[in-house]
Amino acid sequence: MERLLTMFEEADPFATWWPTIAALTVGIVITVRTLMSGQRCPNDNQIKEQIVVVTGGNGGIGFEIAQALAGRGGRVILACRNLEAGKRAAAIIKRELGCRTPLNSLDEDDNPADRYFVEARYLDLCSLRSVHHFAGQLMAEFERIDVLVNNAGVVFANTQVPTEDGFERHSQVNYLAPFLLTHLLLPHLQRSEQGRILFVSAHAHQGAKIDFDDPLNVGTWSVKFHAREAFAHSKLCVLLATRWMARELKGTSVTVNCCTPGLVRGTRHFRNSPLMSSLCVKAVTYPWMWLFMKNAYEGAQCAIRLATDPQLKEVTGEYFNDCEIAESSVTGQDKELAKKLYMQTIKTLESVTKLTVDREEYGLDLQLEMESELRLEAPAEAEPETETNQAADEKKWQGNGETEQP
């Protein structure tokens, strides 16, 4: 032992460059990692009793958003395609928040987890019927909605297999279904003192291809996108719709903004990515992903600020990155394109579904006025459903064992 101590005492750290090189390497890695992790939400504002809807809240960024907002006092509804995963996520959030609750703030018989309201509801964005069903249930149960976070999305999906509504999967899940959900819930959002709508876009929008004459890319002559191109196109649509929707809601109590979480690892978005194609590829790429990409907690910070910060009460129609207003692509700032896309979206959705919730079906207040409805022109009358369709719907709502939306 004495010999070992003598060796350390007589060691000269400057006799070799290796300790210096190691220290510099560690310092550079820590610096790069800190810079790439992005800015944290700069506030801890409470949102007591506010009703918050988070799509895709059973994992990844959505889980972190839901946990943060529930911890600030919000009543959080997780909208998930995999209901069982959503229920597990809700239980985990309540348990983890309960563990952080000071014991001196509880009664002797209280369970800390019971102080937090987090529950899961079924929502499949691949089905516009499911969107209607989900919105109708919420509007029947809650008198208002304060925050809607359209977080769920897909990437690297099969572009050759359309949804049951006939749309390309990236387009419907990332854009059309969230747009419809927002439209349906808008009357309840306008009942809030400060309604907030958040869309999640992506850096990929900067490389998107879009045709002014067919911005939704639904024409029969449209170019068939690769999965990466389809994802980028859908996120550009999200940004453009956000900007025009904000103009439509000007003068109301509702704000609409979108944000990019940045490059985020640890979510299920990459399950179909070439980077996850083999074990060897994973082994080579993971260290670089760890260094240059955010984790889910870091990616959620911008959305958390948009949902909670009172300083953003009057901010609407903006694109955020790292908790600050950022400059989007030139195409993402095109007002004429945004208007054209918005109008085509309304027209396209009207051709396949209704843009209002059936009040009688869900027991809604028949006196609820729809003067706040976000629409450029009156919707076409939808044909009444047949008994066969109604029976099929009831059967569908009973089954929910599919893979969750990331």
Side-chain angles (χ1 to χ4, degrees):
M1 187 66 180
E2 292 182 359
R3 183 178 179 183
L4 185 61
L5 292 174
T6 302
M7 289 177 59
F8 278 110
E9 290 174 357
E10 295 178 352
D12 182 4
F14 298 102
T16 176
W17 285 100
W18 286 112
T20 303
I21 294 173
L24 285 173
T25 301
V26 171
I28 291 172
V29 169
I30 292 175
T31 300
V32 171
R33 185 70 198 89
T34 302
L35 291 174
M36 298 305 296
S37 66
Q39 182 178 330
R40 299 296 187 271
C41 178
N43 68 75
D44 57 355
N45 297 308
Q46 298 297 298
I47 53 171
K48 295 290 186 182
E49 297 302 316
Q50 289 193 19
I51 299 169
V52 181
V53 179
V54 182
T55 65
N58 57 296
I61 298 171
F63 177 88
E64 298 294 341
I65 294 172
Q67 185 172 47
L69 298 184
R72 297 184 184 214
R75 304 183 66 188
V76 179
I77 295 97
L78 309 179
C80 310
R81 186 178 181 183
N82 187 329
L83 189 57
E84 290 304 315
K87 290 179 179 179
R88 288 195 298 270
I92 292 171
I93 290 173
K94 293 173 70 174
R95 183 175 69 244
E96 291 187 358
L97 292 176
C99 292
R100 303 174 192 173
T101 303
L103 294 178
N104 56 12
S105 66
L106 299 170
D107 294 333
E108 190 171 322
D109 297 329
D110 280 351
N111 181 352
D114 293 338
R115 298 188 62 181
Y116 302 95
F117 181 96
V118 185
E119 65 177 31
R121 301 289 181 87
Y122 177 70
L123 172 64
D124 181 5
L125 295 178
C126 285
S127 168
L128 299 183
R129 288 182 182 273
S130 177
V131 174
H132 267 277
H133 187 78
F134 174 77
Q137 285 188 323
L138 287 189
M139 295 176 74
E141 183 172 345
F142 299 98
E143 64 177 13
R144 73 179 194 283
I145 293 173
D146 298 286
V147 181
L148 171 61
V149 183
N150 290 300
N151 162 77
V154 295
V155 63
F156 296 114
N158 188 345
T159 59
Q160 305 303 314
V161 180
T163 65
E164 66 180 49
D165 301 293
F167 298 106
E168 193 277 320
R169 289 184 176 273
H170 296 87
S171 181
Q172 177 162 330
V173 174
N174 297 349
Y175 173 60
L176 287 172
F179 184 98
L180 176 62
L181 178 62
T182 301
H183 195 285
L184 296 175
L185 295 180
L186 188 60
H188 266 43
L189 284 159
Q190 290 190 321
R191 285 183 163 192
S192 171
E193 181 179 347
Q194 168 63 79
R196 301 192 184 208
I197 301 169
L198 283 65
F199 288 96
V200 175
S201 185
H203 288 311
H205 85 270
Q206 297 178 0
K209 301 176 182 177
I210 191 166
D211 187 339
F212 184 86
D213 295 323
D214 181 24
L216 265 182
N217 194 43
V218 294
T220 56
W221 50 270
S222 298
V223 176
K224 295 296 183 181
F225 284 155
H226 181 274
R228 287 190 299 271
E229 295 174 326
F231 174 76
H233 172 265
S234 67
K235 292 303 183 180
L236 176 59
C237 289
V238 166
L239 173 57
L240 290 169
T242 297
R243 296 203 188 278
W244 195 260
M245 193 179 294
R247 293 170 64 93
E248 293 291 317
L249 291 173
K250 187 176 181 180
T252 71
S253 62
V254 180
T255 60
V256 190
N257 291 290
C258 70
C259 66
T260 172
L263 297 173
V264 180
R265 67 179 189 276
T267 69
R268 301 186 72 247
H269 280 78
F270 284 101
R271 63 184 181 274
N272 296 321
S273 168
L275 293 177
M276 301 291 107
S277 59
S278 69
L279 185 61
C280 293
V281 175
K282 291 180 184 179
V284 172
T285 58
Y286 185 79
W288 301 104
M289 292 173 63
W290 176 87
L291 183 61
F292 292 107
M293 298 176 72
K294 298 178 181 179
N295 58 35
Y297 171 80
E298 294 161 350
Q301 297 305 301
C302 192
I304 294 170
R305 187 194 177 196
L306 285 171
T308 61
D309 198 335
Q311 294 183 2
L312 302 178
K313 184 177 181 179
E314 304 297 330
V315 177
T316 187
E318 297 292 350
Y319 171 72
F320 281 75
N321 181 29
D322 280 341
C323 296
E324 301 292 342
I325 295 177
E327 185 174 353
S328 67
S329 65
V330 175
T331 307
Q333 302 174 44
D334 190 328
K335 294 180 182 179
E336 290 301 317
L337 180 59
K339 181 179 180 180
K340 182 72 179 276
L341 171 69
Y342 187 89
M343 293 181 69
Q344 187 186 14
T345 302
I346 292 289
K347 184 177 180 180
T348 300
L349 288 175
E350 283 180 341
S351 69
V352 295
T353 188
K354 295 184 294 183
L355 298 184
T356 57
V357 171
D358 189 333
R359 301 182 193 178
E360 293 184 0
E361 181 179 355
Y362 296 100
L364 300 180
D365 181 4
L366 295 180
Q367 299 303 316
L368 177 62
E369 295 295 334
M370 302 297 286
E371 74 279 355
S372 60
E373 186 176 343
L374 176 61
R375 195 162 55 195
L376 293 177
E377 54 189 46
E381 290 293 326
E383 296 182 1
E385 290 182 306
T386 63
E387 293 183 3
T388 303
N389 288 338
Q390 292 176 356
D393 281 348
E394 292 175 1
K395 182 177 181 181
K396 180 176 182 179
W397 305 135
Q398 294 173 0
N400 44 47
E402 299 177 0
T403 305
E404 78 272 23
Q405 211 66 45

